Amino acid sequence: MSELRDQCDIRIGFPRGDEGSPARWLRTIADYLENEDVTDEIYLSGKLAEKLETYCADVLGKPAALWFPTGTMAQAAAALIHAQATGRKSIALHPTSHLVLHEDDGVRELLKLDVAIMGEWPRVIDARDVQTLDDDPACAIIELPQRHNGGLCPDWETLTGAVAEIHARGARAHMDGARLWSTRDALGGRSYAEICAPFDSIYASFYKEIGALGGAILAGDEAIVEQARLWRHRQGGLLIRGWPMIADALRRLPAVIEAMPACIGAAREIAGRIRETGFQIEPWPVQTSMFHVRLPLTKAEFAAHRDAIARDTKVWIGGSGWELDARPGMSLEIAVDAQLAAADRGRLVAAFALLKRRIDA
Amino acid sequence: MSELRDQCDIRIGFPRGDEGSPARWLRTIADYLENEDVTDEIYLSGKLAEKLETYCADVLGKPAALWFPTGTMAQAAAALIHAQATGRKSIALHPTSHLVLHEDDGVRELLKLDVAIMGEWPRVIDARDVQTLDDDPACAIIELPQRHNGGLCPDWETLTGAVAEIHARGARAHMDGARLWSTRDALGGRSYAEICAPFDSIYASFYKEIGALGGAILAGDEAIVEQARLWRHRQGGLLIRGWPMIADALRRLPAVIEAMPACIGAAREIAGRIRETGFQIEPWPVQTSMFHVRLPLTKAEFAAHRDAIARDTKVWIGGSGWELDARPGMSLEIAVDAQLAAADRGRLVAAFALLKRRIDA
């Protein structure tokens, strides 16, 4: 993290964490652990791990759940389980999928599975995308919401139509629910359990949106979770001590889930006001707690503007900027957590107005 | 961990940790982090990760090193790298290897590599074991010391002879150095760098012997470490935050390395006195900071004795008991860290004398 960023008192960024310094963060977790009265839980078993896994299974409406150190590992386990169950070798992925863009081709190189691209960059997956796949895949992964489209969500009929088609092809449906926590509103106010019901397995992150120290959950039926336990061991995921991450997720989950509607509301309001300064927002209207600001800049050009604005205003408009799709310009990712929702909106919007003036100058 | 164990003030056990409760442990790491003045380092890059990797590369005498969340993952990365480099598909392993006994057959199931068993259970690997392998492997893994023989070490000539033979077959030599830290004395007082020199890659643990919160290191030349970085990502090992584990390893490594000769001395003395109570010790003489006490018991029988002794004496003689080899009875693993080295020897030995009386009764 840059020093300039640290000097700002309003910061757009990923990943988030509102515990101050690393030392302060560990002390906050220590306070939580003291209240929970736990001993040194090793190899991911014990009271805390069970509590988090039970909590997630309940919230996601599945019989069982298993903690993983990372989402990459959790989704790899899911892919391996579904490949073994179906006897098939390919995984159908949207072109914006994390597994396509951000995992160094681990699906092919490590898992020895094939990738079938399904659907098109700027839009969500529908039944037709599944129907037109050349071969029957072992599983299809649907990301809810689609991060690289600024949190785009399908409507409920499109989602369930796509999942039904996956099942009709004899494939398993897996949800990349890294940011699942912010999708309830976009999916008609349904509960997490209702949203997860059509899926065979679900991964959700504990640091994206939740802001915990790390870790992820994989939920599904008991057979899937038992197999996931075996794969987690083979994958080298059986950390001797996951309890610092597990405790932080337990501590934060209920509060973040409760604050989510307010964060989505704030995201809509902030996006609307940035739009008034002259920028295009994607998706519009905003669907979750995140959105993109389209900028006619390269990432390097943006970084220069951002640093100058940080110096002048102590507002860090940085974070993640993407030049991934074929269009010119970039997408600036804005994810609104409780901290950003509570920040001075006037100063935040003024920083974007300044960016607009600098671009137009 | 059992309540009975927690009530004992002398405890033989694995894994170790002398920081008291989880909460106290995190506060100790927080104190260290405050003195280091670090910010939130994400995705395993930053000052702390670099400091630990540089420290390990220096100590192990290799150009580069990379942190891993677990040893299972670090060794899987090494196996994949060596398989790719040699274009071969098998890994030669001793029958007591962690990869044979404790990883749910990940080598075959996940890495899609074959296992060639090399050598015999009760003794170390020598050149002849490598010569008599049916096929040329991608790499051979030598564990230093051999955990399931109570810390058995080859002498220097046997070790270098075996490694030379591995290289003569066009294979890579990888060290499973989980407990490498305690081998200097057994290998003629050589430095860690001298011991690692014959090997292409080395894994060492930060919790076995070192007693840190978790994590592992993989060391080798720069090409190997760059490839390991790629595999670590594909394996799902790129934790968003490894710094609690990294900081704890940094904090403990120099102190544990410095205390190691005293721990080895204490292990020898404790083993000698337990032997005087009538038990067989393996290996004899003791070579590292660990050893085995041979017991004419099943693990269940041992557990009953251990619990009774704990109630009577507040000494926990438990820990890890192994019934893995073909012989009747079991091996009780005793690993001597600074805490156990400083414990009341008289009470510790008296507990074993009591065990002997109970067995003979």
Side-chain angles (χ1 to χ4, degrees):
Chain A
M1 299 285 106
S2 89
E3 272 181 47
L4 195 53
R5 176 187 175 282
D6 291 341
Q7 287 158 14
C8 292
D9 63 326
I10 297 178
R11 294 195 287 246
I12 293 171
F14 166 86
R16 295 163 287 175
D18 53 9
E19 314 307 332
S21 69
R24 207 182 132 200
W25 199 340
L26 291 192
R27 291 190 205 287
T28 307
I29 300 171
D31 292 343
Y32 175 86
L33 286 167
E34 245 149 32
N35 289 329
E36 291 290 305
D37 188 29
V38 287
T39 54
D40 181 19
E41 295 186 359
I42 63 167
Y43 294 123
L44 307 181
S45 66
K47 210 164 83 174
L48 279 176
E50 279 166 30
K51 189 171 171 182
L52 180 57
E53 287 165 355
T54 303
Y55 178 93
C56 289
D58 286 351
V59 169
L60 304 178
K62 293 291 175 190
L66 189 73
W67 187 87
F68 272 81
T70 66
T72 297
M73 194 187 291
Q75 300 207 104
L80 289 165
I81 291 164
H82 299 325
Q84 206 161 51
T86 59
R88 299 176 184 174
K89 298 285 285 177
S90 80
I91 306 296
L93 301 170
H94 191 263
T96 66
S97 167
H98 195 273
L99 288 77
V100 175
L101 298 175
H102 300 304
E103 298 184 8
D104 279 328
D105 210 15
V107 176
R108 275 180 280 240
E109 295 293 335
L110 180 65
L111 310 184
K112 308 291 185 197
L113 298 171
D114 300 321
V115 170
I117 297 294
M118 156 182 76
E120 289 167 10
W121 187 287
R123 59 175 184 80
V124 297
I125 293 160
D126 61 27
R128 176 105 187 102
D129 296 321
V130 183
Q131 284 158 3
T132 53
L133 283 169
D134 285 341
D135 297 301
D136 293 326
C139 80
I141 299 184
I142 295 185
E143 189 189 5
L144 281 188
Q146 281 185 197
R147 182 211 191 164
H148 283 296
N149 304 99
L152 195 65
C153 283
D155 59 39
W156 183 246
E157 289 64 34
T158 304
L159 175 63
T160 50
V163 172
E165 195 57 38
I166 292 166
H167 286 143
R169 295 197 69 159
R172 299 280 191 89
H174 172 77
M175 185 201 299
D176 177 344
R179 295 169 181 77
L180 163 68
W181 313 104
S182 66
T183 58
R184 287 191 57 200
D185 194 69
L187 289 164
R190 286 175 173 79
S191 68
Y192 295 120
E194 287 173 286
I195 295 168
C196 293
F199 290 89
D200 300 286
S201 56
I202 293 103
Y203 139 70
S205 173
F206 293 138
Y207 69 87
K208 299 158 184 170
E209 293 183 338
I210 302 299
L213 201 57
I217 200 80
L218 185 68
D221 67 24
E222 270 139 13
I224 285 175
V225 169
E226 273 321 294
Q227 289 165 313
R229 196 180 298 278
L230 189 63
W231 283 114
R232 183 181 70 177
H233 190 197
R234 291 171 175 161
Q235 289 168 304
L238 194 63
L239 303 192
I240 180 155
R241 291 178 186 90
W243 51 252
M245 287 185 260
I246 289 168
D248 205 37
L250 269 170
R251 186 177 71 82
R252 295 182 61 91
L253 265 167
V256 176
I257 288 175
E258 196 182 322
M260 193 53 81
C263 291
I264 296 169
R268 289 191 173 130
E269 193 199 322
I270 293 167
R273 292 188 57 188
I274 291 174
R275 191 164 179 253
E276 284 165 12
T277 68
F279 290 112
Q280 185 191 339
I281 303 295
E282 290 180 346
W284 186 260
V286 167
Q287 293 189 276
T288 65
S289 62
M290 82 184 307
F291 59 90
H292 281 176
V293 183
R294 283 296 300 175
L295 300 177
L297 300 171
T298 63
K299 281 175 74 173
E301 288 164 348
F302 169 70
H305 287 302
R306 176 199 61 202
D307 291 354
I309 291 167
R311 269 182 227 105
D312 284 359
T313 67
K314 304 295 170 207
V315 177
W316 182 258
I317 61 166
S320 302
W322 307 109
E323 292 171 316
L324 291 171
D325 56 328
R327 299 177 292 174
M330 61 170 273
S331 294
L332 178 69
E333 177 179 298
I334 302 192
V336 180
D337 59 4
Q339 208 172 7
L340 192 61
D344 184 321
R345 302 270 165 90
R347 283 179 60 206
L348 190 59
V349 175
F352 278 92
L354 177 55
L355 176 64
K356 188 72 173 74
R357 288 198 301 278
R358 290 179 60 100
I359 292 171
D360 292 345
Chain B
M1 298 286 106
S2 89
E3 272 181 47
L4 195 53
R5 176 187 175 280
D6 291 341
Q7 287 159 14
C8 293
D9 63 327
I10 297 179
R11 292 194 288 244
I12 292 171
F14 167 86
R16 296 164 287 177
D18 53 8
E19 313 307 333
S21 70
R24 205 182 133 200
W25 198 341
L26 291 191
R27 291 191 205 287
T28 307
I29 300 171
D31 292 343
Y32 175 86
L33 286 166
E34 245 148 31
N35 289 329
E36 291 290 304
D37 189 29
V38 288
T39 55
D40 181 20
E41 294 186 358
I42 63 166
Y43 294 123
L44 307 182
S45 67
K47 213 164 81 174
L48 279 177
E50 279 166 30
K51 190 170 169 181
L52 180 58
E53 288 165 355
T54 303
Y55 177 92
C56 289
D58 286 352
V59 169
L60 304 179
K62 294 291 174 189
L66 189 72
W67 186 87
F68 272 82
T70 65
T72 298
M73 195 188 289
Q75 301 208 104
L80 290 165
I81 291 164
H82 299 325
Q84 205 162 51
T86 59
R88 298 177 185 174
K89 297 286 282 177
S90 80
I91 307 296
L93 300 170
H94 191 264
T96 66
S97 167
H98 195 273
L99 288 78
V100 175
L101 298 175
H102 299 304
E103 298 185 8
D104 279 329
D105 210 15
V107 175
R108 275 180 279 241
E109 295 293 335
L110 180 65
L111 309 184
K112 308 290 185 198
L113 298 172
D114 299 322
V115 170
I117 296 294
M118 158 182 73
E120 290 166 8
W121 187 286
R123 57 175 186 80
V124 296
I125 292 160
D126 61 26
R128 176 104 187 103
D129 297 322
V130 183
Q131 283 159 2
T132 53
L133 284 169
D134 285 342
D135 297 301
D136 293 327
C139 79
I141 299 185
I142 295 185
E143 189 189 5
L144 280 187
Q146 281 185 196
R147 183 209 191 167
H148 282 297
N149 304 100
L152 194 65
C153 282
D155 60 37
W156 183 246
E157 289 64 35
T158 304
L159 176 63
T160 51
V163 173
E165 195 57 39
I166 294 165
H167 286 143
R169 295 197 70 158
R172 299 279 190 88
H174 170 79
M175 185 202 297
D176 177 343
R179 295 168 180 78
L180 163 68
W181 313 104
S182 67
T183 58
R184 288 191 57 201
D185 194 69
L187 289 163
R190 286 175 173 80
S191 69
Y192 296 119
E194 286 173 286
I195 296 168
C196 293
F199 289 89
D200 300 287
S201 56
I202 293 103
Y203 139 71
S205 172
F206 293 138
Y207 69 88
K208 298 158 184 169
E209 294 185 337
I210 302 300
L213 200 58
I217 200 78
L218 185 68
D221 67 23
E222 271 140 11
I224 285 175
V225 169
E226 272 321 294
Q227 288 164 313
R229 196 181 297 279
L230 190 62
W231 283 114
R232 183 180 70 177
H233 190 198
R234 289 171 176 161
Q235 289 167 304
L238 194 63
L239 303 191
I240 181 155
R241 290 179 185 91
W243 51 253
M245 287 185 261
I246 289 169
D248 204 38
L250 270 170
R251 186 177 71 81
R252 295 183 60 91
L253 265 167
V256 176
I257 288 175
E258 198 182 321
M260 193 52 81
C263 291
I264 295 169
R268 289 191 174 130
E269 195 199 322
I270 293 167
R273 291 188 59 187
I274 292 174
R275 192 167 178 251
E276 284 166 11
T277 68
F279 290 111
Q280 184 191 342
I281 304 294
E282 290 180 347
W284 186 260
V286 168
Q287 294 188 275
T288 65
S289 62
M290 81 185 305
F291 59 91
H292 281 176
V293 182
R294 282 298 299 175
L295 300 177
L297 299 171
T298 64
K299 281 175 74 173
E301 288 165 348
F302 170 70
H305 287 301
R306 177 198 60 202
D307 290 354
I309 291 168
R311 270 182 225 105
D312 285 357
T313 67
K314 303 296 169 205
V315 177
W316 181 259
I317 61 166
S320 302
W322 307 110
E323 293 171 315
L324 291 171
D325 55 329
R327 298 179 292 173
M330 61 170 272
S331 294
L332 179 68
E333 176 179 298
I334 302 194
V336 180
D337 59 5
Q339 209 171 6
L340 192 60
D344 185 320
R345 302 269 167 91
R347 285 179 59 205
L348 190 60
V349 175
F352 279 91
L354 178 55
L355 176 64
K356 188 72 174 74
R357 287 197 301 278
R358 291 178 60 98
I359 292 172
D360 293 345

